[in-house]
Amino acid sequence: MIRVGIGTDKHRLVFNRKLVLGGVEIEWGKGAAGHSDGDVLVHAIIDALLGAAGLGDIGHHFPDTDPKWKDADSLMLLARTLELLESASFVPLNVDATIHLELPKLGRLKQEISGKIADTLKVPRHCVNIKAKTGEGLDSVGRGEAIEAIAIAQIGTR
Ligand code: MG
C-alpha cells in the first residue's frame, strides 16, 4: 500500500539565530525563530510523513510547550518520526520539498541538505529532493522576514 502526506511550515527570520535547514547550519546572520532549532524544512517533512501514516502532526508528538524540545535538533525529531512510522509498519519511499527563502542562495547546499535528510530516513539519497525558490520581493518571504517550506512524502507498508 502506498500513501502520501503533505506538510508545511513557516518561521520568522530573526537576527542572531542560526539558520538550520535539514540539519545543515548556514552562516547568514539571520535564522528562524522557534522553540526547537527552527528547521522549517525538517518540520514540514515530519508533518508530511506523519500525515501519510495517519499519525497526526508534529505539534502532537513534539509540542513546543515541552521544555524537552527547546532548541532541539530537528534531525533528531525526524529520526524519532521514522521510528513512529516503523512502529506502524510503514517505511518512507520518497520526499520532495521546496524551501521558500529570499536569501541566501542555497545552491550546492541543497545536495548536502537532502543527503542528511535521506541518511536520517535511511533511504537512498535520490529519494529525497530539495528545491528552493525566492519570494520575488513579495510578502513576508520576499521581504526576508520569513522562511517557509512545503513537503510531500510517499510511504509504503513494510
Ligand atoms: Mg516549525
Side-chain angles (χ1 to χ4, degrees):
M1 183 174 46
I2 303 285
R3 299 170 59 129
V4 294
I6 191 169
T8 69
D9 197 24
K10 178 172 190 164
H11 282 242
R12 258 183 320 120
L13 283 174
V14 295
F15 290 104
N16 302 317
R17 274 280 284 187
K18 294 182 295 188
L19 179 59
V20 184
L21 286 170
V24 176
E25 287 188 22
I26 300 160
E27 291 296 328
W28 179 239
K30 261 177 145 182
H35 186 68
S36 66
D37 59 7
D39 193 329
V40 282
L41 175 64
V42 171
H43 295 176
I45 291 171
I46 287 172
D47 260 353
L49 290 165
L50 291 173
L55 289 172
D57 64 17
I58 189 170
H60 172 73
H61 294 280
F62 312 108
D64 63 8
T65 48
D66 189 336
K68 190 159 61 166
W69 311 120
K70 175 110 177 72
D71 297 322
D73 173 354
S74 292
L75 279 188
M76 193 261 287
L77 306 186
L78 185 63
R80 175 77 190 117
T81 300
L82 177 63
E83 289 174 6
L84 290 167
L85 255 66
E86 287 171 342
S87 299
S89 297
F90 290 116
V91 286
L93 297 177
N94 79 295
V95 170
D96 185 29
T98 301
I99 302 162
H100 294 271
L101 175 66
E102 199 67 8
L103 283 169
K105 293 278 178 219
L106 297 179
R108 287 188 157 148
L109 283 170
K110 285 181 283 188
Q111 297 275 11
E112 188 182 343
I113 291 166
S114 59
K116 279 203 173 205
I117 291 165
D119 292 351
T120 304
L121 291 176
K122 301 177 187 165
V123 296
R125 290 195 161 197
H126 67 83
C127 294
V128 176
N129 190 75
I130 303 300
K131 310 182 295 296
K133 300 187 90 70
T134 71
E136 293 277 339
L138 300 166
D139 64 42
S140 56
V141 168
R143 290 191 298 269
E145 296 166 2
I147 180 169
E148 295 177 353
I150 183 165
I152 187 163
Q154 185 173 223
I155 65 172
T157 42
R158 276 209 277 198

